[in-house]
Amino acid sequence: MGRLAGHLLIWACLLHSVTAGFDNGGFQHNDIDYLPEVEDGQCIFPFRFKDELYYDCIKFKTKHKWCSLNKTFIGYWKFCNWEDFAKCMFPFWYRRMIYRECTDVGSESGKKWCSLTKNFNKDRIWKYC
Ligand SMILES: *[C@@H]1O[C@H](CO)[C@@H](O)[C@H](O)[C@H]1NC(C)=O
């Protein structure tokens, strides 16, 4: 039961180290500050930004979350509205089960979650529903 929470913690640590890395790495501003938003663009997930792969809209020193419009960020971006955020991927594989809807299995808080890729066992990318 504590496994998902464990993953969460690891994930949070990774995320923190990534953010901390940016803070220490002379990365003063978010690059997107200097580039115009493509308002009618389409988010591409996952996208690569600063050597990391992202499966949902991200927020680095920006007021709002944003996404890349290319598989690798090359300067095209947009702020995310509710339609842009990553969607649950159904069905998805978790442990030995196939899930066709959000589940609270493995969730410490009891809140339902879903995988953002078809294979949670391998990718471990998820969000709350
Ligand atoms: C990146 O995405 C933008 C917006 O969709 C598109 O116009 C451009 O051609 C793409 N560039 C590449 C190299 O895929």
Side-chain angles (χ1 to χ4, degrees), residues 38 69-70 74 76:
V38 183
L69 306 186
N70 304 92
I74 54 169
Y76 294 93

Side-chain angles (χ1 to χ4, degrees), residues 41-71:
Q42 191 74 47
C43 294
I44 302 281
F45 299 128
F47 67 87
R48 189 167 288 280
F49 174 65
K50 303 273 179 194
D51 292 330
E52 291 287 329
L53 212 49
Y54 295 97
Y55 287 79
D56 203 350
C57 302
I58 57 172
K59 190 173 173 193
F60 281 126
K61 300 181 180 180
T62 45
K63 262 203 189 114
H64 304 286
K65 292 194 174 186
W66 62 276
C67 69
S68 168
L69 306 186
N70 304 92
K71 272 189 180 300

Side-chain angles (χ1 to χ4, degrees), residues 3-108:
R3 222 168 138 202
L4 183 64
H7 296 151
L8 223 184
L9 193 67
I10 290 163
W11 185 80
C13 291
L14 282 175
L15 196 70
H16 178 75
S17 64
V18 166
T19 315
F22 281 142
D23 284 344
N24 301 334
F27 182 63
Q28 301 295 321
H29 302 277
N30 194 311
D31 292 1
I32 74 168
D33 286 345
Y34 304 104
L35 299 161
E37 178 186 9
V38 183
E39 282 175 50
D40 59 353
Q42 191 74 47
C43 294
I44 302 281
F45 299 128
F47 67 87
R48 189 167 288 280
F49 174 65
K50 303 273 179 194
D51 292 330
E52 291 287 329
L53 212 49
Y54 295 97
Y55 287 79
D56 203 350
C57 302
I58 57 172
K59 190 173 173 193
F60 281 126
K61 300 181 180 180
T62 45
K63 262 203 189 114
H64 304 286
K65 292 194 174 186
W66 62 276
C67 69
S68 168
L69 306 186
N70 304 92
K71 272 189 180 300
T72 297
F73 178 72
I74 54 169
Y76 294 93
W77 67 276
K78 69 168 289 193
F79 284 125
C80 293
N81 59 43
W82 68 272
E83 288 179 319
D84 297 316
F85 288 98
K87 313 274 185 302
C88 294
M89 179 68 82
F90 297 122
F92 66 88
W93 187 26
Y94 173 49
R95 294 180 185 168
R96 292 167 186 220
M97 296 272 285
I98 299 287
Y99 292 87
R100 290 172 200 289
E101 56 188 30
C102 297
T103 179
D104 57 11
V105 174
S107 167
E108 197 106 300

